[in-house]
Each structure stands twice: as structure tokens, then as C-alpha cells.
Amino acid sequence: MAMNNDNKHLWIVGGGIAGMAAAAFAVRDAGMSGSQVHILEELDVEGGSLDGAKSPAHRDAYVTRGGRMLEEEAYQCVWDLFSTIPSLEDPDVSVTDETREFNSRIRTHAQARLIDGRHRILDASDFGFSVRDRSELSRLMGTPEHLLGSKRIDEMFDPHFFTTNFWQMWRTTFAFQRWHSAAELRRYLLRFAQEFSRIHTLSGVRRTVYNQFDSMVVPLQRWLVAQGVDVRLGTRVLDVDFSGTPETGRRATCLHIQDADGSRRLELGPDDYALITLGSITADSTYGGNDTVPELIRDRRDQGWSLWEKIARKADDFGRPMSFYGNVDEHKWESFTLTMHDEALLRRITAYTGNEPGTGALMTWIESGWHLSIVVPYQPHFPDMPEDTYTLWGYGFEIDREGDYVRKPMARSTGREILTELVRQLGFDDLLDHVLETTDVTTSMMPYASALFACRAPGDRPEVVPDGARNFAFAGQFVEMPDDVVFTVEYSVHAAMLAMYTLLGVDRPIPPVYQGMRDPQVAARAARTLLHAGGDD
């Protein structure tokens, strides 16, 4: 049971999945009416980084900047939220039930997880560990986080570890670089220990029927609107005023807003609450097309970080955004979406891998200069796709290095050049001219794509509900929640649930953070896998 929330208003800064989830929890679990809940979103669409849309580069093409893999055991807050949200196409079926039913039919079992430079599919079940690799991996998992501090991953391992198949799969599945936070890698290893025995097939992955914008954001958006939630697009929050101290109690007192009518102040009354989303991994994203190259923006033009910067100056425990956006070259990567206007390339990939669309997972060319990976989703990936139109998504992890066939960095390559490199990495040279004629490529440059993995120190990320906070909380991927892992939809939804339940007095348990190593059976399987999954030659 929640507190009496009849006269309260909730102002949510940011319409990404965290803000939308918070609105849903306020209505569903805290008993607020939709008219009391207000979402302020600076873009003209909700969903934040959980996107999927028509391409800005081509009229008949599509784009997703990224995709989030879901997982049954570890995503309890996500499944809880969407268990009461009707699916896109059937109001009698929840998004959670729809997703589970879909994955019972379309099962992930990758047969081409790793590929070498001669187009050979490798035996990814051979992790390639040395005795030292196993020892160092075990040591990292067993080291308390506070002892790791701001150490990098490559400070914890011998160079051989980074040549193993395990590292190639883990890094591309979750987007780790060797200079990222060792503490964050440790959290991932513990949180996803259940994936050790299936990382080479990614059979633990759960996917939505369509891209996650259409399968998750749109249904949630419809539900919120049906509840009367006030969604204000094109509304930027420039600053937030606070009063009080941690000892006496702190309150958010005013939101400084800019919209089509200009700048103004929104004073928060004694019964008002604020949830503030911090930072953005898709800030300053740019797009390119077949014959253009997306610009790499380094000077934070779209203000995606500016609100947190202003807030952080007001209290020592409101975080340090510079720790995350400060080094673009360590965090940038580039993704691409192919819109194929016939199925020739799709058929050839299916024959090559043995995976029908939607049943495979990331395919990674471990020796490629750009360190390319792609995934072929179940088709259609967008509900409005015409017949004979198909998509696949990929990304490069080493975009400043020279390609193997296109002798220039990925970051300076056009869409057609990236497509050429991909087709030749596949060994489908005979198909190249046809694919170039029938495919549109949309590229996306993201300066902060993996900024949330930056080496961090205590205090770099603020608590969801800071000490003494009476009416405000923070959310998104740059807040601190012990044991949980960033770069997941679960993290955003979990933070939103924690914020709403705490501020609004919801007497309902939050699902505990799942850690596989606390399950004796999972821990035993993980240990056997780490001990026996190839290597030690």
C-alpha cells in the first residue's frame, strides 16, 4: 500500500525507458492518477536510447542505433513492469507474456559466434583459457569491489587473456574494452554467471518480437497515455534548484524549463516530486548514409550532459559526469543498419551460419581491423516493413583502425564502404555488386556509447535517492545501485522502481538483484565451464 498521493504531482525529467517506467510505477503501484504525472522530454519522441525508426538518411530504410539483449533470470524488474502492459498487437496479452511466448518459438542458438580472417566459423565453445587466465578470472570475481577502485580491466589480466575466445565473446556481447572498469566487469561476471556455459551460443538471450522501440516503448507509451499521463515533448529542463542539506533534509524546489514558448520556471509545491534522468549514452549521435560519413561530435552540442553538469555543482554527492563523458575516444563506437530490398544477402548468411533469422546472435570477426559484429534479427524487425524488405544490425569496435578490404578507418567510411567490408569479411565477393545495388546503409556515430563502463571511483555516480532527499531522486544509467549492471534495460527500470517506491512509499517488494553465483546449481555450472571450456594447451 502506498502513501496518500491524491494531491501530489510527479515531474519526470527525461522520457527514456527510466522515465516512462517511473511514470508507470507511480500510476500502477503508488496509486497516482495519470494527470498527476508529467514527463518532460526534450526530443519529439519518447524512448531515449531504446530506439527504432525510419532512417533519416533514406526514405525507405530503417535504423536502430543499438539493441539491448534481454535475459530471463536477470531482468526481473523489466518483466514485472511489462507484465501489466498490453502488447503492441494484442491487448489481451502482456508484453512480458508475448516476449516469453515468442522466445519459446524462436530460440536463440548461435552457430557462428566467432569467425576468423579466412571466413572460417570457429569452435567458440573452446574458450582458449590458460591456467593463468582461469586464476585471474577467479581472482577478479572474488575481489570485493571496494578493493578494485578505479582499476582498468587490463590491469587485472595477463595479455593472453585478451586473445581468448571467451574475451572475444564477452566483450562484444556486453561492449567491454580492455581499458574499461574492472569493477564493472566483475559485476557483469557475477550478474551473468548463468551465461558462462552458453556464451558461445547466447541461448540465454531473450528478444522482443520487433525492435525494442515498437515492442516495448510503443506499448508502454500507449498505456501511459491511456492512463492520462501528461507527456510534454520538445521540453528541455535546463536546471534544477535544491534547498536544504543532507542533515536537515533536501528538496528540489524549481525546474528551469525551455519549450516552444520560451524559458520559464516551474516551481515545485510542498507535495510535488521530481525524478531526474542523468547523462546519455546516445547524446550527440549523428547519422550517415550510403555515400556519407557521420560526424564525430566531441563538444557536447546537444546538451545531453549539461543538466547533470549543472546539478553536480550543487552537491558533492550528485556525481561527477566528467568521469564518463571526458574521453570520447575511449567510449565511441559506430553502428550500422542494413535495409535490404531483397533477400539475397539474408539467404546467403542463413546458409553460411545454419541460423534462420532470429535464431542466431552476434557474429564477430575476431581478426577484422574494425572488429566487426552483426546480428540478423527475426523478420520483419519493424511492424510496418514492406514485403521483400529486411534488416540487420552491426557495429564496429575499433573504428579508428584500417579495414582489411576498405583500407581506411571505419569512422571515415561511407555506408557503402562499410557494406563492402562486411560482405568481403563474409567471403561473399560474388554477391557484392548485387548487395550494393539493393541495400541501403544507415550508419550511426555515438561518442558516448560505452561511457557507462568508464573507470570510476566511489561518488562518480550518485545514489538513486541521495541522503536526505525528501522529494527527488535520480535515474538512468549513471546512478549507483550496488551489484546491478549498467548498459541494460533492467538497470534503468530497476532505478525507476527504487526511486518511485522510496519517494512515494510503495509497500511492495522490489525484485532482488539476481546473481547467478548465489544459485548453487548455476555456480556449479559456471565453475565447470571455467575449468573445462578449452585451453591450457
Side-chain angles (χ1 to χ4, degrees), residues 49 74 139 164 176 199 259 295 308 312 318 363 402 445 458 516:
S49 300
R139 183 186 65 182
T164 63
F176 277 104
I199 190 68
D259 57 20
E295 179 186 5
W308 188 12
F318 284 1
M363 301 163 54
E402 192 174 81
M445 180 69 72

Side-chain angles (χ1 to χ4, degrees), residues 49 51 64-66 68 281-287 294-297 328 331-336 393-395 399 444-450:
S49 300
D51 65 337
T64 51
R65 287 175 295 187
R68 303 288 180 269
I281 62 172
T282 50
D284 286 319
S285 294
T286 58
Y287 297 97
E295 179 186 5
L296 174 62
I297 296 174
V328 166
H331 305 316
K332 68 180 187 290
W333 38 273
E334 184 176 0
S335 70
F336 54 92
W393 177 87
Y395 77 110
I399 65 176
S444 179
M445 180 69 72
M446 294 171 284
Y448 311 105
S450 57

Side-chain angles (χ1 to χ4, degrees), residues 511-527:
V513 173
Y514 177 85
Q515 287 195 324
M517 293 303 282
R518 294 175 181 167
D519 181 324
Q521 292 184 335
V522 170
R525 282 198 302 272

Side-chain angles (χ1 to χ4, degrees), residues 227-250:
Q227 306 306 310
V229 171
D230 171 30
V231 180
R232 305 184 189 183
L233 302 177
T235 303
R236 172 176 289 168
V237 177
L238 303 173
D239 201 357
V240 182
D241 294 340
F242 300 89
S243 66
T245 67
E247 294 73 27
T248 63
R250 293 186 283 190

Side-chain angles (χ1 to χ4, degrees), residues 103 106-110 201-207 355 358-361:
N103 283 274
I106 310 299
R107 295 180 178 273
T108 299
H109 191 89
T201 65
L202 288 177
S203 59
V205 168
R206 299 293 180 265
R207 294 193 175 94
N355 280 118
T359 69

